[in-house]
Amino acid sequence: MTQELVSLTIIMAVAAVSPIVAQLIPGRFIPQTVLLLAAGAALGPYGLGIIEVNDAVKLLNELGMAFLFLLAGYEIDPKRLAGHQGKVGLLTWGITLGLAWLVVTFLPFFTKQGINGIATVIALTTTALGTLMPILKERSLEGTPIGDAIISYGTWGELGPILAMAILLSTRTGWQTMLVLGAFLAICLLCAMLPTKALKTGHRLYRFLTENANTSSQTLMRLTTFLLIFLVTISALFELDAVLGAFAAGFILRYIIPDGSKSLEMKLEGVGYGFLIPVFFVVSGAAINVRAVASRPALLVAFIVMLMLIRAVPVYVALSLDKRENPLSTHHRVTVALYCTTALPIIVAVTSLAVKVGTMQSDTASILVAAGAITVFLMPLLGSITYQVADVHPVTAVREIAHTPSDWRTIVREHAQVRALLHHQDRLKRMAETLESLEKQEGLNGLDSRRAELVERARLEIDRQLKELGLDPQLTTQLPHNYRYPKN
């Protein structure tokens, strides 16, 4: 027991220090998740050996992964899946799966590396939506057109591989697999329908649960945790991956509470991001054999490149062909595609399963997990660059400077002004939407009145900047993201 406590103490010390270090890094371009993974790799069995991945730590690791996928499933709006963008996301993921199969099956490189199995195919089609959500919140992308597109396409990038793992990696025959999945689906439907009916009928049990949700009983939190553990246990009994049960629990929770619950969300995030999820990322890092990764750098680089080609390119093409529903500029479509290429938790799950059944070597699994860890750092970084820098339209600026070199200071300043103006407009839109929602729900109190004043001041600032750019605020209230300057 002493060694288990020592390992857990070190893991939680890493978890406590990581956000502080991330905050101190200029630009905050390294997500906390990357620091957790790096610390796990450095302190784990293949590094300094300080962290021992024993049975107790493994159990907390499984619970951490379960909470991560619970929160990922909870973020999914069922209406989004059934809507136009959800259907396009499903089609895009299907194309991604087909491309991955073709590349892994017929490209000699993967055959020589011994990873031409279905586990590698699934790993190349993933989007780490659960990992992306805190990053999107940190970078104020949640609720923006870009954030909505990332969630829409990322949903199937997470849900699709989970279903593929259950169907394609099963050791049962086809009809047995479908029978087991049907039984699991029936249990999930039962878990979703009973609370929903109690909610609609105002059952006394439901009233008791809601009335005691914020007391020492914590009824809703306990029931949510029970739902999660129950479905993960059912997954284990049915010999399905725990990821499926956890994701289903989150999806069911969103179905039961379609409008969400701020109180419950804060508690789930407190338990998840405050304790269990950091354990999962540190232990995932500890599973990376750094020496094995260093011995096969070609596979590491090739896998990351294939992720970008197989996952990012189809998402970009889909966004480009679906401009009516996604009127995003070119560089913002690139931003969405890059974020959707972030892949780690599913890679950890699918490689662990492949190693367990003997279809993949542990050293190879370490390399794929390391590649997934790198995408958690690399893809949001590249996406942030395209999101922030491209709004300045550097190509246009260079052309204008080449045309009139003497005015380069003015040209650079004006392009920077438009970038700032677009950023202000994004923030203003979110502030106005929040204010409107609060007005409908509760009316304005003192705090909301000050927020309304800030919104009005932001509007005046935008009008002023529009005038400086020679535009009439009465005619041009919204500067488009594809704005181009007239040639000098």
Side-chain angles (χ1 to χ4, degrees), residues 263-294:
S263 175
L264 181 60
E265 289 167 17
M266 289 180 64
K267 295 167 188 174
L268 289 173
E269 290 180 355
V271 175
Y273 292 118
F275 176 34
L276 294 171
I277 293 175
V279 173
F280 165 70
F281 283 120
V282 173
V283 174
S284 296
I288 298 175
N289 187 338
V290 180
R291 292 186 180 87
V293 174

Side-chain angles (χ1 to χ4, degrees), residues 420-439:
L421 180 57
L422 289 170
H423 182 64
H424 286 321
Q425 287 181 325
D426 284 341
R427 294 183 62 186
L428 173 62
K429 181 180 178 181
R430 290 195 295 273
M431 289 172 65
E433 289 175 350
T434 302
L435 181 62
E436 183 180 354
S437 175
L438 289 172
E439 286 176 341

Side-chain angles (χ1 to χ4, degrees), residues 222-233:
R222 292 185 188 186
L223 274 178
T224 301
T225 307
F226 167 72
L227 174 66
L228 172 64
I229 302 299
F230 173 70
L231 289 181
V232 168
T233 303

Side-chain angles (χ1 to χ4, degrees), residues 219-465:
T219 49
L220 288 181
M221 183 63 187
R222 292 185 188 186
L223 274 178
T224 301
T225 307
F226 167 72
L227 174 66
L228 172 64
I229 302 299
F230 173 70
L231 289 181
V232 168
T233 303
I234 293 297
S235 298
L237 291 174
F238 286 176
E239 297 183 2
L240 299 169
D241 196 270
V243 169
L244 180 61
F247 197 83
F251 196 76
I252 290 170
L253 187 62
R254 171 59 72 180
Y255 178 80
I256 297 171
I257 316 174
D259 297 326
S261 170
K262 290 295 181 183
S263 175
L264 181 60
E265 289 167 17
M266 289 180 64
K267 295 167 188 174
L268 289 173
E269 290 180 355
V271 175
Y273 292 118
F275 176 34
L276 294 171
I277 293 175
V279 173
F280 165 70
F281 283 120
V282 173
V283 174
S284 296
I288 298 175
N289 187 338
V290 180
R291 292 186 180 87
V293 174
S295 66
R296 298 167 71 183
L299 177 58
L300 179 73
V301 174
F303 191 80
I304 295 173
V305 171
M306 285 298 106
L307 271 172
M308 296 183 70
L309 292 176
I310 291 171
R311 184 67 183 140
V313 172
V315 171
Y316 176 82
V317 172
L319 286 167
S320 301
L321 296 176
D322 192 32
K323 287 185 179 180
R324 182 172 298 178
E325 292 291 330
N326 301 286
L328 299 177
S329 59
T330 300
H331 56 273
H332 285 165
R333 295 198 294 273
V334 172
T335 298
V336 173
L338 288 170
Y339 271 99
C340 286
T341 313
T342 304
L344 179 67
I346 292 290
I347 293 180
V348 173
V350 74
T351 54
S352 298
L353 185 59
V355 171
K356 185 177 180 180
V357 299
T359 58
M360 183 180 291
Q361 296 181 352
S362 59
D363 287 354
T364 303
S366 289
I367 297 172
L368 300 191
V369 171
I374 291 173
T375 65
V376 175
F377 162 71
L378 183 62
M379 300 308 168
L381 174 62
L382 295 176
S384 179
I385 292 173
T386 59
Y387 179 69
Q388 294 182 14
V389 175
D391 271 332
V392 184
H393 304 303
V395 175
T396 306
V398 169
R399 289 175 180 172
E400 292 176 1
I401 291 172
H403 186 263
T404 54
S406 60
D407 293 338
W408 70 270
R409 289 186 179 86
T410 302
I411 295 170
V412 170
R413 185 176 64 253
E414 288 180 346
H415 279 255
Q417 283 179 332
V418 169
R419 168 69 189 99
L421 180 57
L422 289 170
H423 182 64
H424 286 321
Q425 287 181 325
D426 284 341
R427 294 183 62 186
L428 173 62
K429 181 180 178 181
R430 290 195 295 273
M431 289 172 65
E433 289 175 350
T434 302
L435 181 62
E436 183 180 354
S437 175
L438 289 172
E439 286 176 341
K440 291 179 179 179
Q441 293 177 6
E442 304 173 357
L444 290 175
N445 55 30
L447 177 62
D448 297 327
S449 297
R450 288 194 293 273
R451 185 178 292 174
E453 183 181 349
L454 288 174
V455 171
E456 184 59 30
R457 287 172 59 186
R459 288 192 179 114
L460 293 174
E461 175 64 15
I462 286 178
D463 288 350
R464 184 186 67 78
Q465 293 192 34

Side-chain angles (χ1 to χ4, degrees), residues 83-102:
H84 172 80
Q85 203 168 49
K87 294 175 182 177
V88 174
L90 173 59
L91 177 61
T92 303
W93 182 80
I95 293 172
T96 301
L97 181 66
L99 288 174
W101 181 80
L102 289 173

